[in-house]
Amino acid sequence: MIRSMKGLVKALALGLAAACSLAAISSANAEELSLKGKRIGVSAIGTDHYWDLMAFKGIQDRVKELGGEVIALDAGRKDQQQIAQLQTLIAQKPDAIIEQLGNLEVLNPWLQKIRDAGIPLFTVDTATPHAINNTTSNNYNIGAEIALQMVADMGGKGNVLVFNGFYSVPVCKIRYDQLKYVLTSFPDVKIVEPELRDVIPNTVQSAYSNVTDMLTKSPEKGSIGAVWACWDVPQIGATQAVEAAGRTEVKTYGIDGSPEVIKMVMDPKSSAGAVAAQQPYEIGKTSVDNAAKYLAGQKVPPFTFVPSVLINKENAAEKGKPFLDAAEKAGVK
Amino acid sequence: MSASVLHTEVGVSDEKQAVAKSAGRRFGALVVRLGAIAAFAAIMAYFVIFAPGFTSTFNLINVVEQSAILGVLAYGMTAVIIGGGSDVTEGGIDLSIAANMGLCAAVYATLLSMGYGDFLSVLAAIAVGMAVGALNALAVVGFGILPLLATLAVLNVAAGMELTLTQNTVVGASSPLLGVLVSGSFLGISALAWALIVFSAIMIVVVHGTSFGLRLYAVGGHPEAARAAGISVPFYVSFTYVLSGFCAAVASILTVSRLSASTPGSGELLLSVLAAALLGTVFSRRFVPTMGGTLLSVLFIGLLANGFQLLNVSSYWVNGVQGALILLVVAITSFARGSEGSR
């Protein structure tokens, strides 16, 4: 416990230092790092979401940039397929494996097998004891920040519709737990029970109809103050539903920073209140750098945080643009 | 084999002229069928030569293991197609089989997580699977609804029940039985691979080695003739749907062991199950589904994904190739059936 606290403090300090000298370090390391002659296996549960696709692309681009060969596997959101791909991947004996998201309960025994086979394992946005390094955003911060923004916009009281369909996904668990923790200080903000379930696929449509139903159930204006989701695809459906119902007093909150949602937050008339924008492409690239460092015999911390930015109604015009530019540059819509 | 003899005897009563006319098409179908098998063989040969590590024992056992769940489901589907006739629109088909597996897995994992033992949980999963099968049987045999529509409706029932039970979440599960399935092995072959081997042996013997299996083919091939011969057609057809439900339950236990949980999205397997059952028909001379043919095509589908990965070809191609093969086989089958239809 104490050790992990120490580790956290150390990592936060490291992250701060790294952020300060980010430009200097990355240009210096880029020349040293190499994956020449190395094969890197990459397994992603799916790439149907902006975040997933950007991270998956960042990993592949970086491996190629460093001269390595990449075995890229997209499980198409099917657990069975991801397990089969990992099993075959272990037999292929790559120099390292980078795993991106998925159901931890399903994955953990197989991640263990990767380590048992002596293959270094790195993860993207997936906290597991089996990984040498997990590269991700600081989801503790993100979760607290978006929750505080929501509470502030609500004036410290009101009812919140919460999508909680992916508590088994580690980052969603952290963000949801942070939301709950923040709300302990604001007893007048209440989560409407039962919570809503976001789903994959048909996330937007399903969120739209869920929120529409709830608004119909609570027809008085002001009876619902906000909608929260641990990612931003349900936020799209929720925002559309709120606007269609003419209940613009309800604001929506989400995490990830898909270009579509950033544009919504930038639009002063939209009900999208805020979104915590991550840098998935950078996260993917950074995880490859960590793998390259490890393979070169350097020490690698157990986790690396890539900075994220809270985009709200006040700062959207200024802060949103760089993210939209990055998306355009990577050629991902 | 014996079934095809019976089928031929039925054919003998046809007019000679039509027989002569269909002989040409039958020859054509034979050529196309051998062509399809040659294509399968060519793909395999390519993998053997170019895919690194493809032929290693370790890799092949991996593929058998990866094929176990699909295989068990495909046997259920094959039985339904044999008993209901292989006409794609009006014959036997069980669209609910993958969703049924999802429901059984949810029941199994939920009961385990509530603290019930393996015995009760397995029993409950099998009961649920067979009950869903019985519902299909009731709709198809009792109400006379087209299997395509009846099982589509039951698919939704099963998927809805699974969602209600799990709230679309992952339900983790562990038990002694799952432990054995995950890490047990015998003669260097893992438990999951053994499950497929044993299940295959049973299905092949029952369907192709007993008079029960022969009557099943008679029911599917020519229900009127079967009825005239004193075979209870409704019983046999109903039996295939319940068997299919049983297969879904068995597959659900394998899937929970492999994923250490019941997870949403089992329904996605349906396309592969259908592909396996339909592709299997090219391995039979008369384009009828056989258990052996299904086994071969299940392994083929597994080897296809495996070989592509070893060659570092994008996994996106697997779906495309699988779809193309289904189209090819369905085309061949309709072509061959065209010759029978013209009699």
Side-chain angles (χ1 to χ4, degrees):
Chain A
M1 187 65 173
I2 290 172
R3 240 179 65 192
S4 69
M5 277 296 284
K6 257 188 182 164
L8 189 67
V9 171
K10 209 168 121 189
L12 282 175
L14 267 175
L16 206 65
C20 293
S21 51
L22 200 62
I25 289 175
S26 63
S27 63
N29 275 355
E31 284 156 35
E32 293 163 26
L33 289 176
S34 166
L35 285 172
K36 275 230 165 62
K38 305 274 194 226
R39 284 197 312 158
I40 310 295
V42 185
S43 162
I45 179 69
T47 53
D48 39 0
H49 173 34
Y50 170 80
W51 198 103
D52 304 348
L53 188 54
M54 285 291 274
F56 194 54
K57 205 164 177 305
I59 297 171
Q60 294 181 61
D61 289 354
R62 187 63 176 155
V63 172
K64 286 176 200 153
E65 226 172 272
L66 296 180
E69 187 197 340
V70 54
I71 307 169
L73 302 165
D74 174 359
R77 217 41 80 181
K78 286 175 272 203
D79 294 305
Q80 294 281 2
Q81 193 168 339
Q82 189 176 26
I83 295 310
Q85 287 174 341
L86 283 176
Q87 188 177 32
T88 304
L89 193 56
I90 294 171
Q92 288 175 277
K93 296 205 176 305
D95 294 288
I97 292 178
I98 299 177
E99 199 285 322
Q100 174 187 322
L101 290 167
N103 288 314
L104 210 49
E105 210 141 10
V106 174
L107 283 171
N108 261 335
W110 293 89
L111 301 182
Q112 171 79 54
K113 283 183 192 176
I114 292 175
R115 295 308 297 278
D116 290 348
I119 303 170
L121 171 70
F122 298 82
T123 52
V124 165
D125 221 18
T126 307
T128 161
H130 306 300
I132 290 167
N133 169 280
N134 175 31
T135 303
T136 176
S137 298
N138 186 341
N139 286 292
Y140 301 93
N141 268 354
I142 286 184
E145 272 182 353
I146 200 87
L148 287 166
Q149 177 76 50
M150 181 183 83
V151 172
D153 292 351
M154 291 170 78
K157 60 174 189 294
N159 295 317
V160 188
L161 298 177
V162 167
F163 282 95
N164 187 23
F166 294 104
Y167 195 72
S168 64
V169 177
V171 291
C172 281
K173 176 186 185 310
I174 296 171
R175 296 166 192 167
Y176 177 85
D177 289 347
Q178 290 295 89
L179 167 73
K180 284 280 220 189
Y181 184 65
V182 165
L183 292 191
T184 54
S185 313
F186 299 95
D188 292 337
V189 177
K190 293 199 175 65
I191 293 177
V192 176
E193 296 284 348
E195 292 169 336
L196 305 175
R197 303 251 166 230
D198 34 349
V199 294
I200 297 177
N202 294 330
T203 312
V204 175
Q205 296 90 317
S206 153
Y208 184 96
S209 60
N210 281 339
V211 170
T212 304
D213 290 349
M214 293 307 286
L215 292 175
T216 314
K217 233 169 104 181
S218 313
E220 320 90 65
K221 264 195 185 283
S223 56
I224 287 168
V227 184
W228 180 97
C230 87
W231 53 316
D232 61 6
V233 179
Q235 191 184 1
I236 298 173
T239 309
Q240 290 168 349
V242 166
E243 288 167 3
R247 297 280 291 272
T248 40
E249 82 277 11
V250 182
K251 297 280 179 278
T252 65
Y253 300 84
I255 291 149
D256 279 348
S258 307
E260 203 177 341
V261 178
I262 292 182
K263 282 178 199 155
M264 284 178 165
V265 178
M266 286 167 95
D267 175 3
K269 280 184 293 220
S270 164
S271 290
V275 64
Q278 308 187 57
Q279 304 190 62
Y281 190 81
E282 283 302 315
I283 289 176
K285 276 178 73 172
T286 309
S287 79
V288 176
D289 287 353
N290 280 322
K293 279 181 201 160
Y294 180 85
L295 292 176
Q298 296 177 34
K299 242 182 122 63
V300 172
F303 52 85
T304 311
F305 287 150
V306 174
S308 60
V309 175
L310 181 76
I311 301 178
N312 58 23
K313 284 290 187 217
E314 284 79 47
N315 70 12
E318 172 205 347
K319 301 265 169 119
K321 182 134 192 331
F323 283 91
L324 295 182
D325 292 346
E328 201 165 316
K329 201 177 131 205
V332 178
K333 278 219 323 201
Chain B
M1 269 284 266
S2 0
S4 67
V5 170
L6 188 127
H7 207 123
T8 317
E9 280 164 6
V10 174
V12 167
S13 65
D14 292 345
E15 291 166 41
K16 276 181 186 161
Q17 195 188 359
V19 170
K21 201 169 138 195
S22 73
R25 295 194 68 162
R26 211 164 277 174
F27 177 73
L30 176 75
V31 172
V32 183
R33 185 173 74 87
L34 291 180
I37 294 175
F40 280 22
I43 293 173
M44 286 303 119
Y46 187 85
F47 285 161
V48 168
I49 298 166
F50 295 106
F54 183 72
T55 49
S56 75
T57 325
F58 184 66
N59 186 55
L60 294 177
I61 291 176
N62 271 355
V63 174
V64 174
E65 219 179 275
Q66 290 160 9
S67 306
I69 294 159
L70 180 60
V72 171
L73 290 176
Y75 287 141
M77 182 71 86
T78 307
V80 168
I81 298 178
I82 292 172
S86 47
D87 186 301
V88 179
T89 44
E90 290 183 12
I93 195 164
D94 183 359
L95 297 180
S96 70
I97 189 166
N100 190 2
M101 178 189 80
L103 174 62
C104 296
V107 167
Y108 181 51
T110 308
L111 286 178
L112 280 181
S113 66
M114 285 166 72
Y116 293 97
D118 261 326
F119 181 73
L120 212 73
S121 308
V122 168
L123 218 60
I126 290 177
V128 168
M130 290 173 75
V132 172
L135 186 60
N136 278 322
L138 180 70
V140 171
V141 179
F143 302 149
I145 307 172
L146 270 185
L148 201 67
L149 299 178
T151 59
L152 183 67
V154 174
L155 179 168
N156 282 307
V157 172
M161 282 166 70
E162 184 196 344
L163 282 176
T164 314
L165 190 60
T166 65
Q167 296 293 308
N168 206 22
T169 57
V170 176
V171 182
S174 64
S175 77
L177 173 66
L178 294 175
V180 170
L181 282 172
V182 169
S183 53
S185 81
F186 178 63
L187 300 176
I189 296 174
S190 61
L192 209 58
W194 273 116
L196 180 64
I197 295 167
V198 171
F199 205 81
S200 302
I202 294 172
M203 292 307 270
I204 290 172
V205 167
V206 169
V207 173
H208 300 290
T210 64
S211 56
F212 179 83
L214 179 61
R215 285 196 284 269
L216 191 61
Y217 269 105
V219 166
H222 210 307
E224 291 83 5
R227 197 170 297 125
I231 300 173
S232 164
V233 174
F235 169 78
Y236 277 86
V237 175
S238 303
F239 175 84
T240 61
Y241 286 100
V242 176
L243 175 67
S244 172
F246 175 76
C247 289
V250 172
S252 78
I253 290 155
L254 301 183
T255 207
V256 170
S257 83
R258 196 155 166 80
L259 302 181
S260 341
S262 114
T263 66
S266 306
E268 302 247 13
L269 263 174
L270 178 64
L271 184 67
S272 299
V273 174
L274 264 177
L278 291 176
L279 286 179
T281 57
V282 295
F283 295 106
S284 116
R285 267 184 300 151
R286 294 190 54 83
F287 293 105
V288 290
T290 59
M291 292 297 168
T294 298
L295 177 61
L296 286 178
S297 57
V298 163
L299 292 175
F300 176 76
I301 290 171
L303 288 167
L304 201 63
N306 177 261
F308 275 3
Q309 184 173 338
L310 294 177
L311 284 171
N312 207 357
V313 174
S314 164
S315 48
Y316 302 134
W317 281 95
V318 176
N319 283 337
V321 171
Q322 203 172 300
L325 284 171
I326 297 177
L327 200 62
L328 184 71
V329 169
V330 174
I332 297 169
T333 325
S334 339
F335 184 68
R337 203 152 290 128
S339 65
E340 286 167 28
S342 70
R343 68 191 176 200

